[in-house]
Amino acid sequence: MTDDQKETLLIVDDEESILEVASEYFMTKGYHVLTAENGRIAADIIAQEKIDCCFTDINMPEMDGLELAEHIRKVDNTIPVIIMTGYPSLDNTIRTLKNGVVDFLIKPVNLNQLELCVQRVLRERRLFIRNIFLAKEVEGKKRIENLNRELTYKVSELNTLNRIMTDFTTISSSTDLFKRVVDLSTELTHADEAVFYVINEAVKQPVPVARSHSGGNGNGATSSDATAIRKAGGPDLSDLILENCEEDKPLLIQDAGGVSGLPETLRSLMLVPLNIRKKVFGVLAVSVLDGAVRFSEKDLYYMSFMSNKAAYAIENIALYENIYENLFATLYAFVRAIEARDPYTEQHSNRVTRIAIALCQAMGGSQEEQDILNVAGQLHDIGKIGIRDDILLKPGRLTNEEFRMIKEHPVIGAKIVERLGLWDREKHIIRCHHERIDGRGYPDGLSGEQIPMLARILSVADVYDAIASDRAYRQKMDESEILKIMYGGSGSQFDADVIETFRRMYEKGEFAQLLDDAP
């Protein structure tokens, strides 16, 4: 086939825009292009047309890309198949190896890169076909071995990139994220040291916030204390870091021995800026101080990829933390407003929260459950913001109608929290904290296991603090009456296991000490 007789490409993707852009691009390059919306349509085209190369997405209706690759391998194993996906995974990569796929591209794919890939695989295809006729099994085997080595390298590379992406999706605080950046840097590159510096424009000096020293094996100590990091030593790279910030480009010094002006202890160095909203937020410095390790362009690529993912994660964490703290501060201001209206219940929410968390911890509750109770406990009476003062502060006995209105506060509170869309479990606990085990509680008359366990714990803490404190309509009860109500309600008003835990803690004086220690 001459250069004027370009090959036929089959592009398979369920996104119409990708088909239009790719087909137009390759047609302008002289290729004959066919398109299909899924693997089933592509299989029909292959049965009727001579195809020289096939690009396919993985996730498609009716027949996905891996099924299509397997079909092509059985029909004509000389057709090279190139997988394109926006969601790479080790499992998919291994499956493509079994189906004869020759390349694995991660979306979005640059069109120039796509053409280079086409040229390469088509050249390899021509060689492959020629080898079939000329060298037969020997040459064919060598080519397959080369492809397997290339794909094995691709698997390793994709596994590394996938790990970087996965690691940063589970981190919820900026401190932990900085630690993970330096730890992963030393682990992936076998560096001696990695330090993450935050760039402070006011100070005009890079500030180290996390450091990992591995001794070259990727398994060393990590610190996030700025003072400790400074005392830990290491080469002074401040001037070079500031210059790198101005250029805003990754820097690779493979062998620092021949570069003047660098610390004598430095053997190899990478500086990678981390940008947030097009401004340099920090710089990752990865160093080799001893040994034969020298960084490569592949190492720099991994570090640059990681810094991009870290920047995205930092923005998300900062946004979430800011929203979360502001919302909680607003809601807690409502609680403080309620307590300001009723001096008898001042600090009631704080005490209930402390007692509930202590009960949860004693019953083996997880840290996540304790965190949920910390929010639900602080906000459990927020619905009282909707109750009139003449009812909320009434010194005498409530009428049936007034009590009916008081019983609406768990529903009001749950609706207030529900509108934020952040705390689903906390919302249910707030709604259920006046339910009873025997089903005689409110607002929904739930019973037994229908009531969330954390709501059962909060109920015990709420009632105990209520009867042990002065209220608008009565003085606090004496100890014997308090214990009679609490222990007598086991199995009817309260969960028996929670009351048994309450009994053990009360007899040990843990609640008295807990409340005495409260600020």
Side-chain angles (χ1 to χ4, degrees), residues 375-394:
V375 175
Q378 298 281 6
L379 304 179
H380 77 283
D381 275 342
I382 193 173
K384 287 183 178 178
I385 199 77
I387 307 300
R388 301 198 317 262
D389 281 358
D390 60 317
I391 297 175
L392 184 66
L393 306 179
K394 185 175 180 179

Side-chain angles (χ1 to χ4, degrees), residues 193-206:
E193 180 180 82
V195 183
F196 186 80
Y197 297 87
V198 171
I199 305 303
N200 190 312
E201 293 182 355
V203 179
K204 300 294 183 183
Q205 189 74 8

Side-chain angles (χ1 to χ4, degrees), residues 221-375:
T222 303
S223 174
S224 60
D225 180 75
T227 303
I229 293 170
R230 291 189 185 95
K231 291 181 179 179
D236 184 4
L237 303 171
S238 299
D239 293 339
L240 189 60
I241 289 172
L242 291 176
E243 290 178 13
N244 181 251
C245 290
E246 293 179 1
E247 294 185 8
D248 193 14
K249 292 180 180 179
L251 173 67
L252 169 63
I253 301 177
Q254 290 180 311
D255 193 340
V259 181
S260 62
L262 292 180
E264 294 182 359
T265 57
L266 198 62
R267 297 290 177 266
S268 192
L269 173 69
M270 289 186 291
L271 295 180
V272 183
L274 187 149
N275 290 287
I276 295 180
R277 298 184 180 180
K278 299 182 179 180
K279 291 185 66 176
V280 177
F281 171 81
V283 172
L284 172 64
V286 189
S287 309
V288 174
L289 307 177
D290 193 15
V293 173
R294 296 295 181 268
F295 297 132
S296 65
E297 291 184 0
K298 183 182 74 173
D299 294 321
L300 187 66
Y301 169 71
Y302 286 151
M303 295 301 97
S304 298
F305 182 82
M306 183 172 65
S307 72
N308 289 336
K309 296 302 175 185
Y312 180 75
I314 289 172
E315 284 194 87
N316 285 343
I317 289 170
L319 178 62
Y320 176 79
E321 288 178 345
N322 186 54
I323 292 174
Y324 184 93
E325 290 174 3
N326 287 341
L327 287 176
F328 193 84
T330 301
L331 293 176
Y332 193 56
F334 283 0
V335 176
R336 299 293 292 179
I338 297 168
E339 293 178 344
R341 291 163 62 196
D342 181 5
Y344 292 99
T345 61
E346 187 174 7
Q347 293 300 314
H348 167 69
S349 297
N350 278 339
R351 293 193 300 269
V352 169
T353 301
R354 293 172 69 88
I355 294 169
I357 291 175
L359 284 168
C360 179
Q361 187 175 22
M363 296 180 71
S366 65
Q367 184 59 53
E368 180 186 6
E369 290 173 321
Q370 295 175 51
D371 292 341
I372 290 171
L373 276 175
N374 185 48
V375 175

